[in-house]
Amino acid sequence: MWRRVATAALSLGAGAGAVAVANTEDPAATLKVCAHLPPRLLRDSVTAATIGLDYKWSLWGLEPGTPAWQSAKHDAHLRSANRLQELCFRNGGIYIKLGQHVAQLEYVVPEEYVQTMRESMLKRCPVSSYEQFFAEFDPVPLASASLAQVHAARTHDGQKVAVKVQHDHLTDTSVVDIATVGLLVNVLHYIFPTFDYRWLVDEVRESAPKELDFLNEAKNSEKCLDNFRRLSPHIAGSIYAPKVYWNLSTSRILTMEFMDAKEVTDVHGIKAIGIHPVDVSNLVSKAFAEMIFKHGFVHCDPHAANMMIRPMPQDSRKSFGWKRPQLVLLDHGLYKELDYTTRISYASLWKALVFADAKAIKENSVKLGAGEDLHALFAGVLTMRPWQRVIDPSPDHLVLDAKTTDYSELQVYMLYNFVPPISSNLSVITEDTYAFFVYILSLPKKKILIEDTVRSLYIPGVGGTSLESFMIIGRVSSEAVLDDKRISRKSFLNRFMIWLEEVMLEARLFSLKLMLCFMQLRKLLPG
């Protein structure tokens, strides 16, 4: 009897599915989606169930907080992180992009997950097959990322180019992947209300179509350079994006100028081409600060592989024997746009953070949607510093000293002080509060990526200090606020007040510069 019922149900389901496929606008694409869905959903479900049972079994009967509980939890984290990594690699595409997001969530996700994903998702990605489109085409990719891989090639007229080729079947499977992950996250949230990562799925769902369209990426690269020429001409020559060969590009193949440059974290390589690493760090900070506070059009994936450095072309000028650097920005698939009001409020907030203005921090946090009672949380998420350090008037109040600061303490501070109110407030924050940078839970959904970018402005190991980065952020954000005042306040008295504000800004920045010199001198002294 049960066999007959199962057979009838299967036949009915297959028939209904066939009718649904036949009645869609694109039956072939729908059929592909239906074919990919069952095995991927099964893999997802088995992995999620295994992870959940592992935690339940491993921690069964152990007192929370005891050494035995901590050890068991650590082991469960490692096993579960490896299972999640394996799932991401088996499914590929969007799953790897999700894994890369997890790799950036050190302030929320357990360290075991972060390290596992960083060691794999950011370095080892699947390799797709290729086709011979050019006079020469190297079948071995120069690099492979979650959505595509890059090959060296040569056009028929002899130009060396870099060809970005999208992994096969991504367009077909991305919808399925997002749907299955979304289903599992919703189910887990229903079972475990404190587990709420629906915002991460929403972020990937929104960004995936843009990242899968390489023509959109090409347009973004050109718009980025145009913004620097129009709005930041003082550093426009120091920013570059590879030329796009439009006649050799499609939505899934992007042909670009081949760049002979060093990765932004390659300290030895940067020195070998005559560039001072400190100049690199400062240029990266300036470039992204200008994008955030003045352009409102921000590159959202600024990791090391997407930023390269070369000497300024045809430039003979040197500073103390060092060549001037040019920052080459790659991978323009994902940008965030800030409307004018949000951009100025965001600039005002960072100005207040850098100069420890508690009143302005609260005022602009409220404008950005953080709520009357969440401004301290907002400031802590942006700076990774406790509120009392944020409003400390000392010039180096936001500096993170890698030698004396235990990052795990910061993570614990964030988890115990910020995550509970974050989870309870995500559901009530509206779409009107749109900001920017790259992976932060306490912010409105569309602000997430911006905050990661701000933190990426300081590149440990390349040179410079976090104080220098904060000085640059303070200057550029203050300039954006002053530009806004010049537009809206045109009387003589107002212009005089703006001039006084500029003078005070320079005095503040000068004091920060003196502090920086003092810190550097102290490092050189023995003991």
Side-chain angles (χ1 to χ4, degrees):
M1 178 180 176
W2 289 110
R3 184 177 299 175
R4 291 179 181 177
V5 172
T7 303
L10 181 61
S11 300
L12 182 61
V19 171
V21 169
N23 289 330
T24 59
E25 294 182 1
D26 190 349
T30 306
L31 183 60
K32 287 182 179 180
V33 169
C34 292
H36 284 297
L37 180 58
R40 297 169 93 79
L41 182 58
L42 178 61
R43 278 198 294 267
D44 292 356
S45 302
V46 170
T47 300
T50 303
I51 289 174
L53 290 172
D54 190 350
Y55 279 109
K56 286 287 187 181
W57 177 261
S58 300
L59 303 178
W60 185 271
L62 298 178
E63 184 68 25
T66 62
W69 182 84
Q70 293 283 2
S71 177
K73 187 177 71 168
H74 169 72
D75 293 341
H77 281 335
L78 281 177
R79 290 192 299 271
S80 300
N82 285 320
R83 291 188 185 106
L84 184 59
Q85 171 191 270
E86 178 63 23
L87 175 68
C88 290
F89 275 123
R90 288 193 66 185
N91 284 346
I94 297 299
Y95 282 78
I96 293 180
K97 180 60 65 175
L98 281 168
Q100 291 174 343
H101 278 290
V102 171
Q104 305 298 326
L105 291 171
E106 62 270 328
Y107 35 83
V108 173
V109 176
E111 182 183 0
E112 293 84 355
Y113 284 86
V114 173
Q115 293 303 322
T116 299
M117 296 303 171
R118 281 188 177 175
E119 291 170 2
S120 57
M121 298 298 162
L122 299 179
K123 297 178 181 178
R124 303 198 316 269
C125 291
V127 175
S128 297
S129 60
Y130 70 94
E131 297 181 21
Q132 191 78 28
F133 294 112
F134 303 87
E136 297 178 17
F137 193 94
D138 189 345
V140 180
L142 297 170
S144 183
S146 58
L147 304 181
Q149 61 196 42
V150 179
H151 296 262
R154 194 172 298 278
T155 63
H156 289 293
D157 61 359
Q159 295 293 320
K160 188 175 183 180
V161 294
V163 185
K164 185 175 182 178
V165 182
Q166 193 173 116
H167 294 315
D168 197 20
H169 302 309
L170 267 184
T171 305
D172 300 328
T173 61
S174 61
V175 175
V176 176
D177 291 344
I178 294 173
T180 53
V181 172
L183 174 63
L184 286 175
V185 168
N186 277 286
V187 170
L188 288 171
H189 174 60
Y190 178 78
I191 300 173
F192 308 103
T194 57
F195 181 93
D196 191 0
Y197 285 88
R198 292 174 294 177
W199 61 271
L200 181 57
V201 179
D202 290 339
E203 193 67 40
V204 174
R205 181 184 289 113
E206 180 182 322
S207 64
K210 297 176 184 177
E211 291 191 89
L212 291 173
D213 183 358
F214 288 172
L215 293 180
N216 176 69
E217 177 178 339
K219 292 174 184 176
N220 285 345
S221 70
E222 293 192 344
K223 181 176 180 179
C224 172
L225 292 185
D226 182 62
N227 282 343
F228 274 102
R229 286 190 290 264
R230 291 186 302 105
L231 304 172
S232 306
H234 57 292
I235 66 166
S238 299
I239 311 299
Y240 192 77
K243 171 188 171 183
V244 175
Y245 290 79
W246 289 95
N247 62 321
L248 295 173
S249 299
T250 69
S251 61
R252 298 189 62 182
I253 297 175
L254 180 60
T255 305
M256 304 163 287
E257 172 186 4
F258 186 90
M259 303 306 305
D260 183 13
K262 304 295 181 182
E263 277 196 9
V264 73
T265 54
D266 182 3
V267 178
H268 296 296
I270 288 171
K271 288 181 177 179
I273 58 177
I275 295 175
H276 199 304
V278 171
D279 295 336
V280 172
S281 178
N282 291 342
L283 177 57
V284 171
S285 296
K286 290 174 186 176
F288 280 91
E290 294 281 336
M291 282 192 276
I292 296 169
F293 303 122
K294 293 185 179 180
H295 305 176
F297 186 71
V298 192
H299 189 298
C300 286
D301 201 9
H303 60 73
N306 288 341
M307 296 187 288
M308 305 186 78
I309 293 293
R310 67 178 184 178
M312 285 276 287
Q314 301 175 339
D315 179 32
S316 59
R317 284 189 289 173
K318 294 184 178 181
S319 176
F320 299 101
W322 297 100
K323 298 177 183 177
R324 293 198 301 165
Q326 184 179 63
L327 174 64
V328 180
L329 293 173
L330 307 177
D331 196 351
H332 298 262
L334 185 58
Y335 271 73
K336 288 294 182 184
E337 293 192 62
L338 303 178
D339 62 74
Y340 185 84
T341 301
T342 300
R343 177 171 62 82
I344 297 303
S345 296
Y346 195 66
S348 300
L349 174 60
W350 267 103
K351 176 187 175 186
L353 289 169
V354 172
F355 297 122
D357 185 341
K359 181 180 178 181
I361 290 172
K362 181 174 181 179
E363 176 185 333
N364 289 287
S365 294
V366 171
K367 288 182 180 179
L368 289 166
E372 287 283 347
D373 57 343
L374 293 180
H375 63 281
L377 179 153
F378 199 0
V381 170
L382 297 182
T383 62
M384 289 300 292
R385 307 302 290 150
W387 174 247
Q388 292 305 317
R389 283 298 304 272
V390 171
I391 59 175
D392 187 330
S394 60
D396 61 340
H397 66 121
L398 296 181
V399 174
L400 297 177
D401 188 346
K403 293 183 179 179
T404 59
T405 300
D406 183 355
Y407 189 82
S408 63
E409 293 181 4
L410 290 176
Q411 186 183 49
V412 170
Y413 173 79
M414 292 295 296
L415 288 173
Y416 282 93
N417 290 278
F418 293 160
V419 172
I422 287 169
S423 299
S424 62
N425 281 281
L426 273 177
S427 59
V428 299
I429 294 174
T430 68
E431 283 290 317
D432 295 332
T433 55
Y434 191 154
F436 163 67
F437 253 102
V438 130
Y439 311 115
I440 307 277
L441 292 177
S442 68
L443 305 179
K445 178 179 116 182
K446 294 184 179 180
K447 289 193 178 74
I448 292 171
L449 293 177
I450 294 182
E451 310 320 323
D452 287 331
T453 307
V454 170
R455 269 185 290 277
S456 298
L457 298 185
Y458 170 54
I459 309 173
V462 175
T465 67
S466 57
L467 179 57
E468 285 180 287
S469 292
F470 279 120
M471 285 173 57
I472 292 168
I473 293 173
R475 174 179 289 280
V476 180
S477 60
S478 297
E479 289 174 352
V481 173
L482 290 172
D483 289 341
D484 173 63
K485 291 180 179 180
R486 289 191 186 94
I487 294 173
S488 58
R489 305 175 189 178
K490 297 185 178 181
S491 68
F492 175 79
L493 179 59
N494 283 330
R495 287 187 175 276
F496 177 72
M497 296 300 294
I498 292 171
W499 178 80
L500 283 180
E501 194 171 341
E502 284 184 291
V503 172
M504 293 183 65
L505 170 65
E506 292 301 328
R508 280 178 162 183
L509 292 173
F510 182 71
S511 68
L512 286 176
K513 190 69 176 178
L514 287 179
M515 171 62 71
L516 176 61
C517 293
F518 175 75
M519 290 172 62
Q520 292 174 334
L521 180 62
R522 189 170 58 183
K523 288 180 180 179
L524 297 175
L525 295 177

